[in-house]
Amino acid sequence: MRYETIGSNVLMFVGDDYQSVATAFLDGDDVLLVDALGSMDDALALRRVLCEELGKTVRVIAATHYMSDHGAAMSLFPEALTVAHRQHRQTFLSQNRCVHAFYREPKLVFDVGMSLRWGAHELHFVHNPGKTADHVSVDVPSADLVCAGDNIVGNIVYLSRADPVMLRAAIGRMRQFGRGTVIGGHMGRFPAVTLDNAVHYLDRLQQIVVDIRACVPMDGVAGRVAAIRIEDCVAPGVEPSDFERKWHGHNLEVIVSQSVFALDAAVAAREVRA
């Protein structure tokens, strides 16, 4: 696990597993965590840094969404107030890989949004469904950052069990915050242009898949989709990281297994016929 200071009273932790991110907001010796890493090894390392090395106490853990690869540290801080969107349980149960040991019932749930003053910062928790129905964006104007959760994965998106239309809309809402730094649910922090890059990737991938479904016999679609290069989808000037390449590969798998963009292809074909 690595960590760095990314602003006044803000630390970012990036775990070894899944490169999951946790963001720590400091109020003196008290800590509010946004997300909680993806493995127990990473969670223990986070606790060692925050509690043993820095002498802090974790008081609040807020989830951008309730998937297991973001909740490992919750069990290590039993006295902390846990915060999530009301639809958290639906997300936890619908994920591909549940880790029941990481599940902890949130003590505080909300619907549309809430604001919380924490030391020098005011955190705005905004329901922003995209990758999941319970997704929350955490807007922090005083730190010029927004915690995006899994509504982006670096300069791309991950489509498994997601509605591309909702995902695109969620990224658009984060754009409206106008923050200079975007903290992803994985990999770390990025400049604001990453939001534009993620939409570019989504739009380009959708267009390629729709064209394939329109022109290729059904038994040939899987092979053609599997051959889509990430270089043909990312925004100009973006050099894909190994992590982005890996999750692009996962996208190609779920496009076939979950019939992603099949509805878009059908609508496009109907419009052509009309």
Side-chain angles (χ1 to χ4, degrees):
M1 186 200 68
R2 62 180 173 87
Y3 73 97
E4 61 179 297
T5 300
I6 61 171
S8 176
N9 295 308
V10 185
L11 303 176
M12 182 185 68
F13 297 80
V14 181
D16 293 333
D17 280 76
Y18 308 107
Q19 294 190 37
S20 286
V21 173
T23 308
F25 294 88
L26 310 182
D27 179 6
D29 288 335
D30 295 332
V31 176
L32 182 153
L33 281 179
V34 174
D35 290 333
L37 303 179
S39 73
M40 189 51 64
D41 285 345
D42 287 332
L44 289 168
L46 177 145
R47 185 174 67 176
R48 183 173 63 251
V49 170
L50 281 177
C51 301
E52 299 175 19
E53 297 179 13
L54 300 179
K56 308 298 184 183
T57 301
V58 175
R59 302 294 189 185
V60 180
I61 305 175
T64 59
H65 61 299
Y66 240 61
M67 284 189 166
S68 297
D69 59 334
H70 299 278
M74 283 191 175
S75 63
L76 298 183
F77 305 103
E79 301 304 316
L81 174 71
T82 43
V83 181
H85 186 265
R86 192 175 300 278
Q87 293 181 322
H88 67 279
R89 186 177 170 90
Q90 173 188 344
T91 291
F92 189 86
L93 293 174
S94 66
Q95 64 185 312
N96 293 326
R97 299 179 184 86
C98 284
V99 181
H100 292 163
F102 291 169
Y103 180 81
R104 183 175 167 196
E105 193 75 22
K107 295 179 181 178
L108 174 64
V109 298
F110 64 93
D111 292 297
V112 177
M114 68 175 193
S115 296
L116 176 63
R117 167 66 66 178
W118 195 261
H121 301 297
E122 186 166 343
L123 284 66
H124 303 288
F125 296 83
V126 181
H127 183 216
N128 195 12
K131 176 62 177 68
T132 63
D134 73 326
H135 238 88
V136 173
S137 294
V138 185
D139 180 35
V140 190
S142 55
D144 192 26
L145 67 82
V146 59
C147 298
D150 281 3
N151 279 333
I152 62 165
V153 179
N155 293 288
I156 70 171
V157 298
Y158 181 42
L159 295 167
S160 180
R161 304 183 186 275
D163 177 358
V165 172
M166 287 181 60
L167 198 51
R168 192 178 289 108
I171 297 171
R173 284 188 286 271
M174 284 191 290
R175 279 169 160 168
Q176 293 176 0
F177 296 143
R179 306 305 166 215
T181 297
V182 180
I183 299 180
H186 300 271
M187 299 178 66
R189 61 170 167 167
F190 303 91
V193 71
T194 297
L195 299 177
D196 297 326
N197 294 342
V199 172
H200 184 283
Y201 171 87
L202 176 58
D203 289 347
R204 182 65 182 140
L205 182 59
Q206 176 175 327
Q207 187 58 59
I208 293 172
V209 174
V210 167
D211 290 346
I212 290 172
R213 293 191 185 279
C215 302
V216 177
M218 185 65 68
D219 60 0
V221 167
R224 286 288 298 276
V225 168
I228 297 173
R229 303 187 318 144
I230 189 172
E231 288 83 1
D232 294 328
C233 303
V234 295
V238 171
E239 178 61 36
S241 67
D242 290 342
F243 193 84
E244 290 164 332
R245 290 182 183 278
K246 176 181 178 180
W247 289 94
H248 172 73
H250 292 326
N251 276 336
L252 302 184
E253 294 169 1
V254 303
I255 285 169
V256 174
S257 65
Q258 299 176 20
S259 298
V260 179
F261 303 130
L263 175 60
D264 303 277
V267 170
R270 187 171 63 208
E271 291 175 349
V272 169
R273 290 194 300 269

